[in-house]
């Protein structure tokens, strides 16, 4: 299982042909208290860069983008009732959605953990 | 996501270094670098203010003085620009008002205080919004009579302390603060530093706003923060607190197109002024008072959990768009999303069912009474 990171602060963890997507610890820190999460329906086809979900903090709404093409196979509906989990465990239990990988080549455009850490340092 | 803009053009308040030391996330706001939140976050800061006491840096707001030969002259000069009664404002009393343009639209909303001392008769103290101060000052300078002057107070900071324990915390350093009635003010010493303290605020809670010498602001803030009842609170929680209190944010809920009647802030207009008129836009405002405005600001309670933000359209159920949300978000004390916006007067009754359109989806909502959280302003017991 390999994890990649986008410049929009999504993480994507790939296991076979299924990828789990969430937002990074840095992203939740920037957002502050998460109060609402809007998730996609299973079966939805997403292209890289499409709006996959919306996360709302006390202050503002932010989009979560699909880091690669794929079909939504599951959404973490626990977040609908417990949005604060995004602040507590963003890179673990508070994943947003699972995608059936549509184009594995797009993963090479993303960062690995070291590169993402270096990227965050520049912000 | 909020940007951490380190913009050298941004002005700093006298508490800037303290904010960064306290771990605040600073953002550009009305030309200033201001704390949006501290380490504990907006939700915790909001709840702390509702249960104990929050300290807010509001030094970016404009402080100014109108000075004329006597109270009557200065009060009449301000009455010519606003719809409130200042002639009969008592010494040491504070009043909320609006500067009006010729069409009865709101140039800014502001707090006006008549000093408590007889020697200061002829002076009125003003606190105006940061983003509007240059507009306001130009408007005053262009419209005041020759014998009334505007003096901008540059060397003052403004610190608000709000919450059920706020006055007790301030009174530990300035005992006279405990004696103030709501919407009244007096000069007093805070640990020996000359301050002007008003019992008022923006959160719906009891509390004070302290005008202090810029050079002493940090010492005063540190003294208050040393009290474990007091925590620093940023712009984020200030916004959620005032939204729950049903109070207008200038440039969002009221602006140059909205009248005080549309904005549902007619409490700033006392009886004599409503009847006599004699303020800018009186014709429109008096006719709106008589016949009702075409549109009016209302509170909105959402059924679900998704917040509706400023700019979301307001529609009739399965019907056309009839208005716009001007402020909205998650209300930490209510535990649900709330909003305010303008709707036609015939859809403004409490309990009216409406829909708010968020990202193309229609979210059911109900017109709700404001404030969303009951206010707890201090009422002096009758002696």
């Amino acid at each position: 299982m390999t994890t990649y990171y986008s410049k929009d602060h999504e993480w994507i963890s790939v296991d076979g042909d299924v990828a789990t997507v969430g937002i990074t610890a840095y992203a939740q820190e920037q957002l502050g208290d998460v109060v609402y999460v809007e998730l996609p329906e299973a079966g939805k086809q997403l292209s890289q860069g499409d709006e996959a979900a919306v996360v709302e903090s006390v202050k503002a709404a932010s989009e979560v983008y699909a880091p690669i093409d794929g079909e939504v196979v599951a959404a973490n509906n626990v977040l609908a009732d417990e949005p604060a989990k995004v602040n507590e465990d963003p890179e673990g239990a508070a994943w947003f959605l699972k995608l059936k990988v549509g184009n594995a080549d797009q993963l090479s455009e993303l960062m690995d953990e070291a590169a993402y850490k270096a990227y965050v340092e520049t912000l | 996501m909020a940007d951490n803009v380190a913009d050298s053009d941004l002005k700093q308040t006298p508490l800037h270094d303290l904010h960064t030391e306290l771990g605040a996330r600073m953002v550009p706001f009305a030309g200033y670098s201001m704390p949006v939140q501290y380490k504990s976050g907006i939700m915790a800061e909001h709840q702390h203010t509702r249960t104990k006491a929050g300290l807010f840096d509001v030094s970016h707001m404009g402080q100014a003085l109108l000075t004329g030969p006597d109270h009557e002259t200065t009060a009449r000069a301000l009455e010519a620009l606003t719809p409130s009664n200042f002639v009969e404002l008592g010494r040491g009393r504070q009043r909320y008002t609006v500067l009006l343009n010729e069409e009865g639209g709101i140039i800014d909303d502001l707090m006006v205080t008549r000093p408590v001392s007889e020697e200061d008769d002829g002076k009125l103290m003003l606190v105006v919004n940061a983003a509007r101060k240059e507009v306001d000052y130009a408007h005053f300078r262009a419209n005041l009579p020759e014998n009334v002057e505007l003096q901008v107070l540059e060397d003052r900071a403004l610190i608000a302390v709000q919450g059920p324990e706020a006055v007790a915390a301030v009174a530990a350093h300035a005992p006279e603060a405990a004696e103030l009635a709501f919407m009244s003010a007096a000069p007093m010493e805070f640990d020996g530093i000359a301050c002007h303290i008003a019992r008022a605020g923006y959160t719906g809670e009891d509390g004070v706003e302290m005008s202090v010498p810029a050079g002493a602001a940090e010492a005063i803030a540190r003294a208050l923060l040393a009290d474990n009842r007091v925590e620093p609170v940023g712009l984020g929680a200030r916004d959620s607190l005032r939204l729950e209190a049903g109070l207008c944010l200038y440039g969002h809920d009221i602006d140059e197109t909205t009248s005080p009647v549309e904005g549902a802030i007619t409490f700033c207009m006392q009886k004599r002024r409503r009847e006599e008129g004699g303020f800018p836009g009186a014709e429109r405002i008096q006719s709106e008072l008589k016949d009702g405005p075409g549109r009016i600001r209302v509170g909105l309670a959402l059924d679900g959990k998704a917040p509706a933000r400023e700019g979301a359209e307001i529609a009739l159920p399965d019907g056309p768009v009839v208005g716009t949300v001007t402020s909205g978000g998650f209300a930490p004390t209510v535990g649900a999303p709330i909003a305010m916006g303008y709707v036609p007067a015939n859809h403004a009754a409490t309990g009216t069912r409406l829909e708010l359109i968020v990202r193309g989806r229609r979210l059911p909502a109900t017109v709700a009474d404001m404030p969303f959280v009951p206010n707890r302003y201090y009422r002096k017991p009758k002696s």
Side-chain angles (χ1 to χ4, degrees):
Chain A
M1 196 160 64
T2 314
T3 304
Y4 305 85
Y5 299 84
S6 77
K7 284 197 167 181
D8 297 315
H9 308 288
E10 290 95 17
W11 56 265
I12 174 166
S13 182
V14 183
D15 188 7
D17 67 347
V18 174
T20 306
V21 177
I23 66 168
T24 65
Y26 174 85
Q28 73 76 24
E29 170 81 30
Q30 293 296 307
L31 284 169
D33 300 303
V34 172
V35 295
Y36 178 75
V37 175
E38 188 175 299
L39 297 161
E41 302 275 332
K44 187 172 181 181
Q45 289 290 340
L46 294 172
S47 297
Q48 185 179 40
D50 281 357
E51 181 182 303
V54 176
V55 55
E56 301 236 18
S57 68
V58 184
K59 273 306 274 181
S62 302
E63 291 80 26
V64 177
Y65 301 105
I68 59 167
D69 298 352
E71 180 189 332
V72 177
V73 292
N76 188 1
N77 290 312
V78 171
L79 300 183
D81 294 321
E82 296 177 71
K85 273 204 184 312
V86 176
N87 295 115
E88 291 157 18
D89 193 9
E91 299 189 24
W95 55 273
F96 277 57
L97 57 138
K98 290 181 190 289
L99 289 176
K100 184 161 185 280
V101 175
N103 182 353
D105 292 347
Q106 290 168 332
L107 294 168
S108 62
E109 300 162 23
L110 301 169
M111 291 175 272
D112 63 14
E113 188 176 0
Y116 178 70
K117 274 190 175 161
Y119 169 67
V120 164
E121 289 294 316
T122 68
L123 298 179
Chain B
M1 244 172 271
D3 292 320
N4 274 317
V5 177
D7 188 339
S8 55
D9 291 338
L10 292 174
K11 288 182 269 189
Q12 297 184 350
T13 75
L15 295 180
H16 184 270
D17 292 350
L18 179 60
H19 296 317
T20 51
E21 181 186 318
L22 293 170
R25 182 177 300 161
M26 305 300 286
V27 298
F29 182 82
Y32 285 79
S33 170
M34 295 297 290
V36 67
Q37 64 169 84
Y38 299 83
K39 283 177 191 158
S40 61
I42 294 172
M43 200 91 89
E45 290 168 26
H46 180 112
Q47 301 294 18
H48 191 87
T49 306
R50 289 261 181 257
T51 54
K52 289 184 175 161
L55 182 144
F56 306 73
D57 180 11
V58 281
S59 304
H60 57 312
M61 299 187 80
Q63 299 185 65
L65 206 56
L66 293 181
T67 307
D70 52 68
H71 176 67
E72 169 103 14
T73 305
T74 309
R76 294 256 179 231
L78 188 54
E79 286 194 2
L81 306 178
T82 69
S84 308
N85 179 346
F86 291 108
V87 170
E88 283 144 297
L89 183 66
R91 288 199 181 95
R93 300 292 299 169
Q94 191 172 46
R95 184 157 277 168
Y96 173 79
T97 193
V98 290
L99 275 182
L100 293 171
N101 64 26
E102 287 304 319
E103 292 74 48
I106 300 168
I107 296 169
D108 196 7
D109 61 342
L110 59 155
M111 293 295 273
V112 179
T113 308
R114 182 178 178 187
V116 72
S117 158
E118 200 174 335
E119 295 158 30
D120 287 326
D121 261 355
K123 290 185 177 145
L124 289 172
M125 302 157 76
L126 315 177
V127 178
V128 306
N129 281 301
R132 297 299 285 177
K133 48 189 174 187
E134 296 315 321
V135 172
D136 295 351
Y137 297 158
H139 184 73
F140 278 115
R141 292 195 170 110
N143 291 285
L144 287 172
E146 271 186 13
N147 57 352
V148 178
E149 270 183 25
L150 175 82
Q151 182 195 353
V152 177
L153 304 174
E154 300 284 6
D155 205 27
R156 308 288 290 175
L158 196 65
I159 297 171
V161 191
Q162 293 278 299
E165 309 219 35
V167 170
V170 172
H173 304 268
E176 294 157 80
E179 305 300 318
L180 288 173
F182 181 57
M183 295 296 273
S184 68
M188 58 189 78
E189 289 194 349
F190 181 105
D191 292 346
I193 302 159
C195 300
H196 194 269
I197 301 187
R199 195 158 195 167
Y202 203 48
T203 57
E205 298 295 329
D206 188 17
V208 298
E209 295 204 345
M210 310 168 56
S211 173
V212 309
E218 188 176 320
I220 290 170
R222 283 185 190 279
L224 287 164
L225 292 169
D227 187 320
N228 61 19
R229 293 171 289 193
V230 182
E231 292 290 336
V233 180
L235 291 171
R238 186 160 181 251
D239 195 49
S240 55
L241 289 158
R242 72 93 201 163
L243 178 60
E244 286 183 340
L247 299 173
C248 292
L249 182 59
Y250 192 85
H252 301 261
D253 307 297
I254 47 175
D255 59 30
E256 295 226 26
T257 70
T258 50
S259 77
V261 187
E262 293 175 327
I265 50 171
T266 49
F267 63 85
C268 76
M269 306 178 66
Q270 286 73 37
K271 188 162 175 281
R272 174 174 65 81
R273 302 302 317 280
R274 292 180 191 219
E275 289 168 359
E276 286 178 11
F279 45 81
E283 196 177 335
R284 167 190 177 183
I285 290 170
Q286 285 178 314
S287 106
E288 286 177 355
L289 282 171
K290 183 165 163 277
D291 304 324
R295 58 171 183 165
I296 191 158
R297 181 176 64 98
V298 295
L300 298 159
L302 284 88
D303 288 6
K305 290 184 179 174
R309 312 271 177 189
E310 179 176 2
E313 290 176 317
I314 305 173
L316 301 182
D318 299 317
V321 170
V322 293
T324 310
V325 169
T326 52
S327 280
F330 182 81
T333 307
V334 178
I338 59 173
M340 309 196 299
Y342 282 84
V343 297
N346 58 337
H347 298 290
T350 298
T352 303
R353 295 290 286 164
L354 295 169
E355 288 173 344
L356 309 186
I357 304 176
V358 176
R359 293 185 289 274
R361 285 197 305 148
R362 285 173 170 254
L363 309 179
T366 307
V367 175
D369 288 327
M370 292 187 284
F372 296 95
V373 172
N375 61 46
R376 294 194 287 189
Y377 303 128
Y378 175 72
R379 302 292 173 192
K380 211 170 189 176
K382 289 202 174 84
S383 52

